[in-house]
Amino acid sequence: MSRPEFIFMLTRHDRTVENAADLIETARVAGVRHIGFKDIGLPFAELQTLASTIRGAGAKTYLEVVSLDRDSELRSIQAGIALGVDYLLGGTHVDEALKLLKDTPIRYYPFPGRISGHPSLLEGTETEIVRSAVDLVGRPGVHGLDLLAYRFVGNVPKLIRQVCAAVSNKPVIVAGSLDRTERIRATASAGAAGFTVGTALLDGAFPALPDLAQQIGYVQTIVRQL
């Protein structure tokens, strides 16, 4: 089992937090090299500053799109292009997104399955989600998947295993509600290439001191033990 990448999301409940830029130094000192944010929560000018600060900290930038409608999603993708992020996670209007992303260096990881609500939920049967995953990775320009596994009502470790096995040629990032040790370990065991954590770190959900540095350190310890 290879160790998945830990992506620190500057978000709470699927929104970028107001003090996101202030948290990056703590993450940098802790050695975090993958940092992301959502398209909702801050105006574009502040997202520009945020992306620049993340790059200045030596980390890869991730924008996860959780817009609720087509037009908002496409505007968010255009914003991600303008921000020059390294990875664009999420979104469901894949064909239109691919047209926008063509000829950019951005790595695109859309959501498989049916997505609804905010915070986002993953709907459909395991079979439907796996079928969606296979369809998506077959499209040129899709580099991987952003799987909202723990926003799914069902056997989550089984779903992750099935998706990872079905798209073994493309990496799967598991996002959403990874708020306890066993979920991170199950995600790694199932073959995910990475996972995101945001709300749980900011709320001090892990069994460590509640300050951000200790919470990040705890998650890093879990990853090193995998």
Side-chain angles (χ1 to χ4, degrees), residues 73 77 88 90-91 93-94 97-98 101 106-110 141-144:
E73 179 178 322
I77 290 169
L88 185 72
H93 295 83
V94 177
L98 286 171
L101 292 165
I106 295 173
R107 311 287 290 179
Y108 180 41
Y109 288 55
V142 172
H143 300 92

Side-chain angles (χ1 to χ4, degrees), residues 19-163:
N19 66 331
D22 298 332
L23 307 177
I24 295 171
E25 179 61 13
T26 298
R28 185 196 68 79
V29 171
V32 178
R33 293 297 175 260
H34 302 269
I35 302 177
F37 50 93
K38 301 292 175 74
D39 60 313
I40 293 173
L42 290 177
F44 181 74
E46 292 185 37
L47 292 180
Q48 285 181 303
T49 299
L50 187 61
S52 177
T53 305
I54 293 171
R55 284 191 289 270
K60 295 291 187 181
T61 54
Y62 294 72
L63 174 65
E64 187 170 43
V65 177
V66 290
S67 299
L68 292 175
D69 60 82
R70 170 192 172 277
D71 290 345
S72 296
E73 179 178 322
L74 296 182
R75 283 195 297 269
S76 296
I77 290 169
Q78 290 171 323
I81 295 170
L83 291 168
V85 297
D86 297 299
Y87 292 82
L88 185 72
L89 308 181
T92 59
H93 295 83
V94 177
D95 291 329
E96 291 167 289
L98 286 171
K99 291 177 183 177
L100 294 174
L101 292 165
K102 186 179 180 181
D103 300 324
T104 76
I106 295 173
R107 311 287 290 179
Y108 180 41
Y109 288 55
F111 291 134
R114 297 196 310 272
I115 309 299
S116 67
H118 187 86
S120 303
L121 300 176
L122 174 59
E123 299 180 341
T125 66
E126 292 173 9
T127 299
E128 289 170 338
I129 295 167
V130 170
R131 187 182 301 124
S132 169
V134 171
D135 173 66
L136 289 175
V137 299
R139 304 183 195 194
V142 172
H143 300 92
L145 298 174
D146 187 18
L147 180 64
L148 293 174
Y150 285 100
R151 305 282 178 83
F152 169 72
V153 178
N155 187 328
V156 173
K158 179 183 176 185
L159 175 67
I160 301 172
R161 285 195 301 273
Q162 288 181 328
V163 171

